[in-house]
Amino acid sequence: QKEVEQNSGPLSVPEGAIASLNCTYSDRVSQSFFWYRQYSGKSPELIMSIYSNGDKEDGRFTAQLNKASQYVSLLIRDSQPSDSATYLCAVEISSGSARQLTFGSGTQLTVLP
Amino acid sequence: DTGVSQDPRHKITKRGQNVTFRCDPISEHNRLYWYRQTLGQGPEFLTYFQNEAQLEKSRLLSDRFSAERPKGSFSTLEIQRTEQGDSAMYLCASSLNVGSPLHFGNGTRLTVT
């Protein structure tokens, strides 16, 4: 089992719809969770961070965290073609003597005009 | 704040040659990370520094890879005797504290022929 798992997609939604991206993780004591967006050929850029159970909203983006289920999701409301990118879930995972940020393989999202 | 800077942006080398990459983190960030990313995958952790101390190195990392951060500021990543399998995007990131989000540079794309 991978430490951080995402559906690779591709996920296609029409413009204006809600895109829902999901992520599960293996480390029960993880405390820090992030969503990054990565355009083709570019480096990841931070969209959201979430540390507590529940929802966190920032503009059109909502991150949801459920530590009991080891599940974190990202909702994108009113999706725009410019949201078309790969979305990476990142979780702080215990590894050796330290904790490090571990990424999923990403979900490719296409927003159709 | 000029962000994380990486140099060079692209590097093409022949198999067996040594290469060195440089990363300049955000100035007030104490933690510096190196990741590697191949097509269709999320970033894979390589190593990280807290100031000048290298605190963690991936168990999957070959002995041909070495990283330094001599004065707690910029960092270098060296790959000796490059192999075709080393071809990837090498990403540097920095963060302020444990649990803080990572901010990525634009990456160095390595091609080994």
Side-chain angles (χ1 to χ4, degrees):
Chain A
Q1 180 188 3
K2 290 184 179 179
E3 293 174 312
V4 180
E5 293 211 51
Q6 298 181 250
N7 291 332
S8 60
L11 173 66
S12 294
V13 299
E15 185 174 356
I18 296 175
S20 177
L21 305 163
N22 303 316
C23 173
T24 58
Y25 59 94
S26 61
D27 188 341
R28 293 185 175 275
V29 299
S30 293
Q31 297 294 322
S32 304
F33 308 85
F34 308 93
W35 283 98
Y36 286 81
R37 177 176 62 198
Q38 187 172 28
Y39 293 112
S40 180
K42 303 294 185 182
S43 61
E45 58 177 321
L46 180 71
I47 299 176
M48 295 280 289
S49 58
I50 187 166
Y51 302 95
S52 305
N53 278 329
D55 295 0
K56 180 181 178 183
E57 185 175 321
D58 184 0
R60 296 186 296 111
F61 298 97
T62 299
Q64 299 174 316
L65 174 62
N66 184 326
K67 291 184 180 179
S69 299
Q70 294 173 236
Y71 174 90
V72 58
S73 65
L74 179 70
L75 300 177
I76 307 174
R77 290 182 301 281
D78 188 24
S79 296
Q80 302 297 309
S82 59
D83 295 328
S84 298
T86 296
Y87 289 80
L88 297 164
C89 172
V91 179
E92 199 170 60
I93 299 282
S94 179
S95 176
S97 59
R99 302 186 65 78
Q100 67 199 30
L101 203 60
T102 300
F103 287 81
S105 57
T107 298
Q108 186 179 344
L109 172 67
T110 301
V111 180
L112 304 170
Chain B
D1 178 2
T2 57
V4 179
S5 176
Q6 291 188 246
D7 185 70
R9 293 293 304 275
H10 303 275
K11 178 70 176 178
I12 300 174
T13 191
K14 292 185 177 180
R15 184 165 52 94
Q17 298 295 305
N18 299 342
V19 294
T20 300
F21 310 141
R22 176 179 171 126
C23 172
D24 288 88
I26 294 171
S27 58
E28 64 268 26
H29 286 185
N30 296 321
R31 295 166 72 90
L32 185 149
Y33 304 78
W34 286 99
Y35 283 79
R36 175 173 61 190
Q37 187 176 26
T38 54
L39 194 64
Q41 300 298 315
E44 174 194 18
F45 171 80
L46 296 179
T47 189
Y48 88 92
F49 294 82
Q50 171 84 30
N51 298 313
E52 67 275 10
Q54 187 174 16
L55 296 186
E56 189 74 12
K57 186 175 177 180
S58 171
R59 293 186 295 274
L60 303 176
L61 200 58
S62 162
D63 289 343
R64 296 183 296 105
F65 288 70
S66 62
E68 294 182 341
R69 193 182 183 195
K71 297 183 179 179
S73 56
F74 74 91
S75 175
T76 58
L77 177 68
E78 181 183 17
I79 309 173
Q80 296 181 326
R81 304 182 303 281
T82 52
E83 301 173 357
Q84 287 186 318
D86 297 332
S87 295
M89 175 76 83
Y90 288 84
L91 295 164
C92 177
S94 67
S95 72
L96 190 59
N97 292 313
V98 174
S100 299
L102 270 58
H103 299 267
F104 284 90
N106 289 326
T108 294
R109 182 167 296 284
L110 173 66
T111 302
V112 182
T113 62

